[in-house]
Amino acid sequence: MLKQARIQSCVAKDLADMFPVWDDDEQDPDIVKIVNALHDPNFKFSKNHWPLEGVLGAHIVKSEAGKRSLPSDESSRKRPCTASASAASFVGDEGVGVVATMKAHFDQCFQSFSTKMLNGLGSCEKQIKRLTEKVESVERAVEELTTGSAKHTEEELTQQQGTGSKKHEGSNSEKDDAPMKDNVNIGACESVNAPGDAKGKKATVKEEEAPEMKEEEAPEPSFCEIDPKTCDVDFDAVALAKNAKAREAAQIVARATSARYRQLAVTQKSPFLGNSTAKAIIPSSASHSGRVRGYDPFDQTGVKAKHITLMNFIRSNPLHSCLIFTNVQHMEAYINLLRLRLSKHPEWFVSNRICFLNSMFATVWRRDYKDFKNSEPNADGSGKLLPPGAYSYYTGELPIYCQTKKTWAYDVDYLYSMLHIRKDHWVAIWVSFVTKHITIWDSHAATKYASDEQIAEAVEPLAVMIPYLLQTCAPDDDKWRFPYTPFTHSRVPDTEIPQNIQSGDCGVYCLKYIECHALDFLFPPELCDKNIRKIREKMAAELFDETGCRGHDKLDATGLDVYDRKA
């Protein structure tokens, strides 16, 4: 009962009240008629309600050629017509009305569409035929060229086989009965498959069968021996030129490879610290960058035994009592130790694309910087006088001890060396070819024993001549990578590196800066003045144990007299 509608009062209204209008509205009588007709079911539309005015009465017919016949100019003009005429045109007695006109119009449109489609398909077929003919002609030309080259190669090989056939060295008696293989001296580069050190080597040449020869008549593969005397091709130069463009991509791959480090697989990880598998695979901890650390530069394990051996040698050889770490030769000796470790265990260091340089490098370059500035360059800026031995450093032939044979900026990204400032102070430098920047680590940065002006004056020769050397020695297609712009430099603040409070230990701090950074080892608090005696003993014992040095070696003074100077 509650769902039923309860109506208290109902008032019926007229149809006109269903469409309220404003008082000043003016209604269109024609529209009102249409609206009323829509609501009246008995209303029928006739032509008298909407008279046709201006409608053409011309009919569209098909001609014999299938084209549309247009009415004449007089009949195409619009003109008014009466209601009877429009009614006759709408529904004519002859049966040609609006429906017939529209039907004829649609038929004509469909016919024109089909005609255009057929014409388009026909043109496409013609173009496809033309392209097919062109492709066939190209194939025939290629086949003729291939056949001709095969015939030419076969004729040359036949002539060579008939004139210079020899027996192979070391062949046994059984092979003597078989057809002898021919040795042909070839002096052309095209007969060699691989460039490089291919002089005097044997290369197999595959003979191409002629079209008219049968399979059983095809000759066996022959061996061609290259005579170095008759061959004028420099295969080393060809190999270098061929691989010059791919060198940059190879450097990227090498850098990515050098950054890899050994780590445990998921199945080899264990929550226990004493996991033997982990100790066998990763014997030491990893550095802060994730690369495996080879050794701790401040570990005192085994140092005591090495130090005893060293002291015994000094007691038995009083002349070698000068092994205390004070002079330049000892600085060079420890740099040589780092070079030796890098050559034997490159995985210990931050990358295998680093190089350690002795102090002679910076000393000679600072001395000859004045000659470099006073020399006259060429029109393009090249040709200035570089220090002696500069190219040897560039190619890794210097220093002589543990030569790297690596080219700067191609095989080496970073350089480590030392600067001797104010005749009594050592600072470490780190040269980056990637960022084109020189970083200075100074153990007396807090006291500013060497002022900023003195640091800038000491670093300027390297910052200017290193990019000049890179640009001079680079290939022509790589010179754009090495502009003459000098490298920037900066000194690390004293708050970021350990400082030497007492004087006389700057050389030890300098070498430890280089070693820790090359090992990707954060500068530890163990590097301090109170541990300096232990650090000295460790460095001297490791030098004696690993390098076997028993005194002062000769300095790497190669090239000092290249400009008529006395060594």
Side-chain angles (χ1 to χ4, degrees):
M1 297 294 293
L2 294 176
K3 294 182 180 180
Q4 295 179 0
R6 296 180 180 179
I7 301 174
Q8 295 181 357
S9 60
C10 181
V11 179
K13 292 190 176 182
D14 297 337
L15 183 62
D17 296 337
M18 294 178 62
F19 304 97
V21 294
W22 299 99
D23 296 338
D24 55 348
D25 280 352
E26 294 182 0
Q27 297 181 356
D28 190 350
D30 295 334
I31 296 177
V32 171
K33 290 180 181 179
I34 294 174
V35 172
N36 294 335
L38 292 175
H39 288 82
D40 188 3
N42 298 324
F43 180 80
K44 292 183 180 181
F45 182 78
S46 62
K47 299 179 180 59
N48 296 328
H49 293 89
W50 206 299
L52 300 177
E53 297 180 357
V55 179
L56 297 178
H59 304 294
I60 299 174
V61 295
K62 297 181 180 179
S63 60
E64 294 180 358
K67 296 183 180 180
R68 211 167 124 183
S69 60
L70 298 177
S72 60
D73 295 339
E74 296 180 356
S75 60
S76 62
R77 296 175 184 174
K78 293 184 178 180
R79 59 182 182 277
C81 61
T82 59
S84 59
S86 60
S89 63
F90 190 82
V91 182
D93 295 339
E94 297 178 357
V96 181
V98 177
V99 177
T101 304
M102 295 299 293
K103 184 177 180 181
H105 179 67
F106 284 127
D107 293 341
Q108 180 64 25
C109 289
F110 287 132
Q111 186 176 0
S112 63
F113 290 157
S114 61
T115 303
K116 291 179 180 180
M117 291 176 65
L118 292 175
N119 294 336
L121 291 175
S123 62
C124 290
E125 291 178 355
K126 293 179 181 179
Q127 293 179 1
I128 291 172
K129 290 181 179 179
R130 292 176 183 175
L131 292 175
T132 305
E133 293 176 356
K134 291 181 179 180
V135 171
E136 291 177 353
S137 62
V138 171
E139 290 179 351
R140 288 194 297 269
V142 171
E143 185 177 358
E144 291 176 358
L145 291 175
T146 306
T147 306
S149 61
K151 291 180 178 179
H152 182 66
T153 305
E154 185 65 28
E155 291 176 358
E156 289 183 353
L157 291 175
T158 304
Q159 293 177 0
Q160 293 174 359
Q161 291 172 5
T163 56
S165 61
K166 298 180 180 180
K167 294 183 180 180
H168 291 287
E169 297 178 0
S171 60
N172 52 22
S173 59
E174 295 179 0
K175 295 183 178 180
D176 292 338
D177 298 335
M180 292 189 301
K181 298 179 180 179
D182 304 322
N183 296 334
V184 183
N185 292 329
I186 298 178
C189 179
E190 290 78 8
S191 64
V192 181
N193 294 329
D197 296 331
K199 297 180 179 180
K201 295 184 179 180
K202 294 182 179 181
T204 58
V205 178
K206 185 178 180 181
E207 300 179 355
E208 299 181 2
E209 297 181 358
E212 61 272 8
M213 294 179 63
K214 297 182 181 180
E215 295 181 358
E216 58 271 12
E217 296 179 358
E220 296 182 359
S222 61
F223 292 90
C224 296
E225 184 178 358
I226 300 171
D227 190 0
K229 298 180 180 179
T230 60
C231 184
D232 299 333
V233 179
D234 189 358
F235 296 104
D236 295 334
V238 173
L240 291 176
K242 183 177 180 181
N243 299 328
K245 295 182 179 180
R247 180 178 289 180
E248 185 175 356
Q251 293 170 13
I252 298 174
V253 175
R255 290 174 184 172
T257 305
S258 63
R260 297 175 183 172
Y261 58 93
R262 296 155 62 194
Q263 59 181 351
L264 291 175
V266 179
T267 57
Q268 295 172 334
K269 292 181 180 179
S270 172
F272 303 100
L273 297 177
N275 186 6
S276 59
T277 306
K279 289 182 179 180
I281 297 178
I282 302 181
S284 59
S285 59
S287 60
H288 67 279
S289 64
R291 190 178 177 87
V292 174
R293 182 178 298 139
Y295 63 93
D296 186 354
F298 300 95
D299 187 15
Q300 294 292 328
T301 304
V303 175
K304 187 175 181 180
K306 297 177 182 178
H307 186 261
I308 293 174
T309 305
L310 172 61
M311 296 307 296
N312 293 334
F313 174 78
I314 293 176
R315 292 189 186 98
S316 60
N317 299 273
L319 296 177
H320 295 282
S321 59
C322 58
L323 282 173
I324 303 174
F325 236 86
T326 54
N327 53 24
V328 178
Q329 285 80 8
H330 297 151
M331 300 286 288
E332 306 291 350
Y334 200 78
I335 284 292
N336 289 341
L337 176 61
L338 296 179
R339 293 173 62 86
L340 178 64
R341 289 174 178 174
L342 178 62
S343 63
K344 290 183 176 180
H345 303 282
E347 70 278 1
W348 287 357
F349 295 85
V350 65
S351 173
N352 58 358
R353 299 176 61 84
I354 62 176
C355 181
F356 298 102
L357 299 179
N358 51 21
S359 62
M360 182 63 65
F361 160 73
T363 302
V364 174
W365 282 45
R366 290 172 61 192
R367 185 197 66 185
D368 297 338
Y369 183 54
K370 185 177 180 180
D371 296 339
F372 172 81
K373 293 192 298 183
N374 295 335
S375 60
E376 293 294 334
N378 298 327
D380 57 350
S382 62
K384 300 194 75 173
L385 191 63
L386 287 169
Y391 185 76
S392 299
Y393 279 109
Y394 175 78
T395 56
E397 296 179 0
L398 285 179
I400 297 176
Y401 189 82
C402 292
Q403 293 176 336
T404 61
K405 300 292 185 178
K406 292 183 179 180
T407 307
W408 289 2
Y410 287 97
D411 305 318
V412 177
D413 293 332
Y414 307 105
L415 300 178
Y416 293 95
S417 187
M418 305 164 289
L419 284 178
H420 199 224
I421 303 175
R422 295 190 58 175
K423 299 181 180 181
D424 60 352
H425 183 52
W426 290 100
V427 295
I429 61 173
W430 174 47
V431 183
S432 174
F433 297 131
V434 179
T435 59
K436 296 179 175 57
H437 184 77
I438 301 176
T439 304
I440 300 100
W441 294 300
D442 186 5
S443 60
H444 287 282
T447 60
K448 292 295 180 68
Y449 180 74
S451 62
D452 295 337
E453 291 76 12
Q454 292 174 334
I455 292 290
E457 182 182 359
V459 177
E460 181 182 357
L462 305 180
V464 174
M465 289 192 289
I466 286 178
Y468 193 90
L469 175 64
L470 296 178
Q471 212 279 341
T472 302
C473 298
D476 294 338
D477 54 348
D478 277 356
K479 288 186 180 295
W480 63 271
R481 296 175 49 199
F482 307 105
Y484 291 127
T485 307
F487 285 6
T488 57
H489 72 276
S490 63
R491 178 162 55 174
V492 178
D494 60 292
T495 57
E496 299 181 9
I497 57 175
Q499 292 294 292
N500 179 209
I501 306 302
Q502 62 186 14
S503 61
D505 299 321
C506 58
V508 179
Y509 277 85
C510 174
L511 294 172
K512 283 301 175 181
Y513 288 153
I514 294 175
E515 184 177 13
C516 291
H517 193 271
L519 290 170
D520 200 11
F521 199 96
L522 295 177
F523 299 132
E526 289 81 7
L527 182 57
C528 59
D529 292 346
K530 68 177 182 179
N531 296 330
I532 204 68
R533 181 179 179 84
K534 294 182 179 180
I535 295 174
R536 283 178 177 272
E537 292 177 354
K538 175 180 172 64
M539 297 172 75
E542 289 176 347
L543 266 174
F544 184 82
D545 180 67
E546 296 185 36
T547 63
C549 60
R550 299 296 183 266
H552 301 312
D553 295 333
K554 294 182 179 180
L555 294 177
D556 292 336
T558 303
L560 286 180
D561 57 345
V562 70
Y563 301 124
D564 296 333
R565 294 194 185 95
K566 293 183 179 180

